[in-house]
Amino acid sequence: MQKHEWAVLVFTASYVVGFGIYFISIGNNEFLWYIATLIGFMLLIAYGARRARFPAMLLWLLSIWGLAHMAGGGVVIDGAVLYAYRLLDIVGTGELSILKYDQVVHFYGFGVTALVLRHLLRRNFPVLAGTATLFCYPILGSMGLGGLNEIIEFAAVMALPNTNVGGYYNTALDLLFNTAGAITAVALVTKLERSA
């Protein structure tokens, strides 16, 4: 492993262990489920890191997403987890309120996911540089992985009592913010590359 990979690994492992101990101490089985999922993704990234040659920035963006997720379920503000916290009062009430911390994490996280997919496509298929495929497929892949994320959340709801996942409107808004994040990230990186 390279030096920047070790730095990201140590940072990520530190907050995973810290939040893991915290979630065990308060009996939060929902986020222990998510920690197991996060560890699975860490192992997947570590397994493919040598062939994928992820840039340091991309690894840091992934790690920050994991930290934002752990904080969302572990930090409590006004008696509720950070995920439920309303950052801005843009529109709506209850599950339809925008803009919540949860929605920002979905936007950011699936934007990063689209960048990971774009990096992998570009690295493995250099002929795609500058094509619509390199623009569209990472977005669609990120949307698909966002759907997988909702299936994981649904599995948590079915397996564990008292989750903070939310209902149908929450799921729909999660998918909407996943898509918006993926489109924004890929569009931004594409624009930056064209102007470079």
Side-chain angles (χ1 to χ4, degrees):
M1 282 180 54
Q2 297 181 14
K3 189 175 180 180
H4 73 270
E5 293 170 334
W6 277 111
V8 175
L9 178 63
V10 168
F11 175 74
T12 306
S14 298
Y15 72 69
V16 168
V17 168
F19 274 108
I21 292 168
Y22 172 69
F23 291 136
I24 289 169
S25 74
I26 64 170
N28 185 333
N29 293 327
E30 176 188 358
F31 266 80
L32 289 178
W33 178 278
Y34 293 132
I35 282 179
T37 303
L38 182 62
I39 290 170
F41 281 121
M42 286 171 58
L43 292 172
L44 183 64
I45 290 165
Y47 174 76
R50 182 162 296 176
R51 289 184 59 205
R53 296 191 186 198
F54 293 112
M57 178 61 75
L58 201 49
L59 292 174
W60 281 110
L61 291 173
L62 282 166
S63 182
I64 290 166
W65 180 23
L67 177 59
H69 181 55
M70 293 295 104
V75 175
V76 176
I77 297 178
D78 296 332
V81 291
L82 185 56
Y83 264 138
Y85 186 71
R86 197 164 175 169
L87 298 170
L88 295 172
D89 190 13
I90 296 175
V91 68
T93 59
E95 275 201 14
L96 280 173
S97 51
I98 299 173
L99 183 72
K100 292 188 285 189
Y101 177 85
D102 176 49
Q103 296 157 350
V104 171
V105 173
H106 275 271
F107 181 91
Y108 172 82
F110 287 93
V112 173
T113 301
L115 295 181
V116 168
L117 295 173
R118 186 177 186 279
H119 169 77
L120 293 172
L121 270 176
R122 197 163 181 201
R123 174 152 175 72
N124 291 298
F125 304 99
V127 69
L128 295 177
T131 66
T133 300
L134 192 60
F135 185 85
C136 294
Y137 274 60
I139 293 168
L140 294 171
S142 182
M143 291 167 66
L145 290 171
L148 175 62
N149 179 72
E150 296 306 315
I151 291 169
I152 292 168
E153 286 186 2
F154 179 67
V157 168
M158 297 305 292
L160 304 166
N162 304 322
T163 63
N164 289 311
V165 170
Y168 176 78
Y169 292 126
N170 178 69
T171 300
L173 284 171
D174 286 352
L175 293 171
L176 177 69
F177 277 92
N178 294 350
T179 303
I183 292 169
T184 303
V186 173
L188 182 62
V189 167
T190 301
K191 182 174 170 115
L192 288 172
E193 283 181 355
R194 286 182 181 161
S195 35

